[in-house]
Amino acid sequence: MEIIAIQPLVALIAGILILVVPRLLNVIVAIYLIVVGLMGLFPDLIHI
């Protein structure tokens, strides 16, 4: 599975979690931004 295919899946799961538990919004957004930032800075770090 490529990174391009993983990002929409992560966004979908995050959206569902935010709808179910709105307090998770800050945590989910922070984790998502950190992961996307790391994937941008170190593209060779994740070999999928």
Side-chain angles (χ1 to χ4, degrees), residues 2-5 8 12-15 18 23 29-31 38 41-43:
E2 296 181 20
I3 299 298
I4 296 171
L12 180 64
I13 292 169
I18 290 168
R23 288 180 169 215
V29 170
I31 291 172
L38 286 174
L41 288 174
F42 306 106

Side-chain angles (χ1 to χ4, degrees), residues 1-44:
M1 187 178 282
E2 296 181 20
I3 299 298
I4 296 171
I6 292 174
Q7 286 180 344
L9 181 63
V10 171
L12 180 64
I13 292 169
I16 292 169
L17 286 174
I18 290 168
L19 282 175
V20 173
V21 185
R23 288 180 169 215
L24 287 178
L25 178 61
N26 292 337
V27 175
I28 291 172
V29 170
I31 291 172
Y32 180 77
L33 290 174
I34 290 169
V35 169
V36 169
L38 286 174
M39 287 190 310
L41 288 174
F42 306 106
D44 295 330

